[in-house]
Amino acid sequence: MDHLSNQNLKNITCISIETDNNHRQFSYFTIDELIILYQHSNVIERSLYELMTPVNQVKAYIDFEYYIDNNLDIKNSHIGPICLLKIFYFLLNFLDHNDQHNNDQIAHILQQFLILEASTSEKISYHFIHANPSILFENNITLGLFIKAVIHYSLLLITQHKCSSFQIDSISQKYTISDLLILLKPYVNTLRTCCIQCQLYIGYITIAEFSHLLVLDKQNQLTLAVDLNVYCKNQQFRLFDSVKLGKTNPLPQDEHYDHRKLSYTTV
């Protein structure tokens, strides 16, 4: 991996190819070569991952997922993903906030994101990639720090807000994300149903919307629908229209949110 990190990757991409459950082969491809590989391979045989190292600049990307059976109280599975998109559009475009009606606002936001879906019968799963090439992070570790800071700040704002349905005694000590989730666990249903008018980011996000990012894991412990474990050194990110080895669900462009028909050359 260290050898790969020291390569000049400006015009090429390091791809790992999954060959079995324990092994991956690493190869370098130009964009043109990668397109040819896509055009001449079947989706079910395409187990490709991009290697992201600390020397690679990256666009913002976010993984969203939760298990359906552990979160049957979530009646509308689109609230969480839309909330997440609105938050990061707001933060990545803080100098360009136009007053728009909600539907127009969402349509405008969707123009900036590539949305890939990996949902199965067991879980809701999306990958969001901010497609604006003028906004890059130094590497995926720096991106991870940014994402975690946003999540931490948002959770802290929720615990500090007061309304007729929600109030937690003033907190003064320093809390981690895990600490804040423990504090909020008894109130998630209240936040979703009663804090519809409580603003988190004024004009953009309500606390009721954000609370749909607070979900139960398989052990019924409160966690985030945002995967914070994908921002590490030498992270491997599954590519568009690729499958995990032995699985049959590729990572296609989502058609519910994103109605653009993109080819391999544009993705």
Side-chain angles (χ1 to χ4, degrees), residues 144-249:
L145 293 174
F146 172 74
I147 301 289
K148 291 171 186 176
V150 171
I151 295 294
H152 185 273
Y153 180 61
S154 300
L155 291 173
L156 188 61
L157 289 179
I158 292 174
T159 60
Q160 292 176 341
H161 104 280
K162 294 177 174 59
C163 67
S164 59
S165 301
F166 178 89
Q167 180 173 337
I168 294 180
D169 291 338
S170 179
I171 56 176
S172 57
Q173 69 183 75
K174 294 182 179 179
Y175 282 89
T176 65
I177 289 176
S178 297
D179 294 332
L180 293 169
L181 288 174
I182 292 172
L183 275 176
L184 290 172
K185 184 175 181 179
Y187 306 100
V188 172
N189 187 61
T190 298
L191 295 172
R192 288 180 186 165
T193 57
C194 301
C195 293
I196 298 172
Q197 300 300 323
C198 301
Q199 299 290 317
L200 187 58
Y201 295 98
I202 296 175
Y204 262 75
I205 307 295
T206 66
I207 287 176
E209 290 174 319
F210 189 94
S211 65
H212 283 77
L213 302 180
L214 309 180
V215 298
L216 297 178
D217 62 18
K218 279 193 167 183
Q219 288 72 45
N220 285 321
Q221 297 300 309
L222 190 67
T223 188
L224 294 163
V226 181
D227 187 352
L228 298 180
N229 296 314
V230 297
Y231 306 104
C232 58
K233 182 180 180 181
N234 297 322
Q235 176 68 32
Q236 296 181 43
F237 190 88
R238 182 154 59 112
L239 291 185
F240 164 70
D241 223 14
S242 290
V243 298
K244 293 182 179 179
L245 192 69
K247 304 293 184 180
T248 58
N249 60 315

Side-chain angles (χ1 to χ4, degrees), residues 10-77:
K10 184 176 181 180
N11 297 313
I12 58 177
T13 301
C14 185
I15 300 296
S16 69
I17 304 171
E18 195 172 10
T19 57
D20 58 46
N21 288 332
N22 297 312
H23 296 88
R24 293 187 183 185
Q25 294 180 345
F26 294 87
S27 300
Y28 289 108
F29 290 86
T30 65
I31 295 300
D32 289 340
E33 289 171 338
L34 193 56
I35 290 171
I36 292 172
L37 176 62
Y38 266 76
Q39 292 172 335
H40 292 83
S41 60
N42 295 322
V43 173
I44 200 66
E45 300 171 345
R46 195 185 298 139
S47 298
L48 305 176
Y49 298 78
E50 180 180 359
L51 177 64
M52 296 181 176
T53 74
V55 300
N56 297 129
Q57 289 186 324
V58 297
K59 298 177 182 178
Y61 64 89
I62 308 107
D63 282 8
F64 173 96
E65 68 175 28
Y66 68 85
Y67 288 95
I68 297 171
D69 287 347
N70 296 87
N71 296 277
L72 295 176
D73 54 328
I74 297 180
K75 305 304 181 184
N76 186 340
S77 63

